[in-house]
Amino acid sequence: MAPTPRKVYVVGCGMTKFEKPGRRDNFDYPDMALEAGTKALKDAGISYNEVEQAVVGYVYGDTTCGQRALYPLGMTGIPIYNVNNACATGSSALFLGRQLIEGGMADCVMAMGFEKMQRGSLSSTYSDRTNPMDKHIEVMFENYEFSHGPVTAQLFGNAGVEHMKKYGTKPEHFAKIAYKNHKHSVNNPYSQFQDEYSLEQVMKSPMIHEPLTKLQCCPTSDGAGCCILASEEFVKKHNLQSQAVEIKAHQMRTDFASTFKEKSASKVIGYDMTKYAAEAAFKQAGMTPDDIDVLELHDCFSANELVTYEALGLCPEGKAGEFIDRGDNTYGGKVVCNPSGGLISKGHPLGATGLAQCSELCWQLRGLAEKRQVANAKTALQHNVGLGGAVVVAIYQMGFPEAAVNARSNMQLTANPTSASERDFKSVAIFDTIQEQLKKDGASYVKKVKGVFCFKVKKGNDIGVWVVDAKNGNGSVKYDPKGKGEVTINVGDEDLLALMSGKLNPQQAFFQGKIKIAGNMGLAMKLKDLQPSAPKAKL
């Protein structure tokens, strides 16, 4: 008799803001992974030394990029696996990480996903071997004429055309999906785009491939996401019950024979994979689609979100248009789909998408999604698809609901929601640079400064709190809303940037009231010792 599979929990999440490729300086894949991994470990309250195995997903890169990405977090000799499963790469890394814990091979696993992409539409990398999508594309061209749009847009757009012909769906239905997702993204600081558009603007943006306009297509992106997975024993040992999100069901499926035999554009893009994965997930969790409160769905194109509503069982086949018209896919409706803004707005760094989806849903269940929070979210679903093909469907709930409720009643701000607003401050560049300096020569800074600074930085109505410890060990920099120091420095965001980059005189700033100091004034005089050594290069 096979042993009972162990329960698996997500106990830490972190991600970078998704960016247009090349837009952010010093943002190579090791930098992305370091930022996302550090946030996830901080959220879980553990060190990298406690991670026993790691699964890393990426699509574009050489072999062992996973090792190179994680080595800055620590070189502990653990097994590191590299995963490439097209657009489902991130959730595939999560799926494998869960299996390691479920099967008793580890108690703590890191699932990491990142991508550094080229600008423009996706294209084939190799021309001297069989393209893994050759059969899918062959089926598509048997039924639809080739156009000048990107092949992926044609694949998904033709599924939309098929749905319109078969069920009477209108172009407006696809546009309404994009309108919704752009509107949701306004409240997500991690999103590549945070712009709201009218329905008319969505429909009148440049046509890519009927019925898909530019604002209905996801962009290429740079970014990373990371989740820390743990066994029940690990959760209890580290007192993580209040934040542990249980993976109630996790299913992966690949293409069925119907993908090629039935000549259906929707099946070419993974309709059957999704349908069977979802059915298996609901059976595994003992739930139905009606139990889902919030979901992150793979909306690489608005057409895919529409057909996936039906594949997941959120509405009957052929009824997606009515589902959309009723507003059942957003706040106040049956279920909130893509509160993050989805791939269309948040961006789509292929290897990171699945981990970003998981992170968003965990924050929703933990009540940490701020302005995009879905009220009373109890059950969440994740859908991530990669053509060629693979689909992963996961269902999540809080693993220890009573502990979570007790924690919320006395809620303290934690790393994840504040990490989102942390990047909104311009002066975050100061603290990033200080942290780099401490990593290089922390011992000498500690010997020279011997103190702990608390910076309370004001930007509009928001206040960010950083603690710079130049007293203990090799020093550290921590973003902590509850943080305290031996000296507290209250200063505006722009003023701190000017002060630390040498553009604002400290004495002048003090007498003009631009900087207020409380606590150890002698230590405050050592503030210049923390000034970045090469501010012009970094700031």
Side-chain angles (χ1 to χ4, degrees), residues 114-298:
F114 58 78
E115 211 67 67
K116 183 175 177 66
M117 301 184 71
Q118 299 294 323
R119 295 184 181 183
S121 303
L122 300 183
S123 60
S124 178
T125 304
Y126 302 103
S127 59
D128 62 343
R129 63 204 69 182
T130 300
N131 188 304
M133 287 292 296
D134 65 340
K135 295 293 185 183
H136 299 75
I137 295 171
E138 181 182 321
V139 171
M140 178 180 74
F141 289 149
E142 286 179 8
N143 297 281
Y144 298 89
E145 292 185 5
F146 179 78
S147 77
H148 295 293
V151 172
T152 49
Q154 292 185 57
L155 285 163
F156 287 96
N158 289 337
V161 171
E162 178 182 82
H163 201 278
M164 288 193 291
K165 290 180 178 178
K166 192 172 182 180
Y167 300 113
T169 314
K170 304 296 182 185
E172 289 86 347
H173 290 120
F174 302 101
K176 284 181 179 180
I177 287 173
Y179 164 78
K180 165 187 69 73
N181 290 347
H182 284 294
K183 187 178 182 67
H184 288 178
S185 74
V186 171
N187 293 319
N188 186 4
Y190 288 116
S191 184
Q192 183 171 339
F193 301 118
Q194 292 177 256
D195 301 309
E196 184 175 349
Y197 299 93
S198 67
L199 184 62
E200 183 180 19
Q201 286 176 308
V202 172
M203 296 192 70
K204 289 187 175 181
S205 62
M207 182 63 68
I208 303 301
H209 181 82
E210 187 183 358
L212 304 174
T213 63
K214 184 177 181 180
L215 290 175
Q216 298 177 55
C217 307
C218 71
T220 51
S221 317
D222 287 351
C226 182
C227 293
I228 307 299
L229 305 177
S231 66
E232 187 170 358
E233 293 81 358
F234 190 94
V235 169
K236 292 179 177 178
K237 178 182 177 181
H238 291 76
N239 294 315
L240 296 170
Q241 292 94 323
S242 64
Q243 67 189 67
V245 175
E246 184 179 355
I247 304 177
K248 301 292 290 187
H250 216 178
Q251 294 288 329
M252 178 187 284
R253 291 293 185 273
T254 55
D255 282 307
F256 292 87
S258 57
T259 299
F260 303 138
K261 287 184 177 181
E262 297 189 17
K263 312 298 182 183
S264 163
S266 293
K267 296 195 175 186
V268 166
I269 63 166
Y271 186 94
D272 281 354
M273 288 195 296
T274 292
K275 183 176 185 291
Y276 289 112
E279 289 176 351
F282 285 122
K283 182 177 180 181
Q284 182 182 2
M287 300 178 188
T288 71
D290 290 335
D291 293 312
I292 304 301
D293 301 307
V294 58
L295 75 151
E296 284 287 303
L297 184 157
H298 193 100

Side-chain angles (χ1 to χ4, degrees), residues 325-395:
D325 288 338
R326 289 194 302 268
D328 277 343
N329 57 352
T330 188
Y331 296 88
K334 181 179 178 181
V335 61
V336 179
C337 182
N338 288 329
S340 70
L343 282 63
I344 285 175
S345 292
K346 184 175 59 183
H348 185 26
L350 308 189
T353 288
L355 280 307
Q357 289 180 324
C358 178
S359 296
E360 174 67 26
L361 295 176
C362 287
W363 294 332
Q364 289 284 348
L365 294 176
R366 291 166 62 183
L368 301 177
E370 298 183 315
K371 292 180 181 179
R372 62 190 187 281
Q373 181 65 51
V374 176
N376 302 313
K378 299 288 193 303
T379 306
L381 182 143
Q382 175 187 6
H383 165 265
N384 190 200
V385 66
L387 296 187
V391 66
V392 180
V393 173
I395 298 175

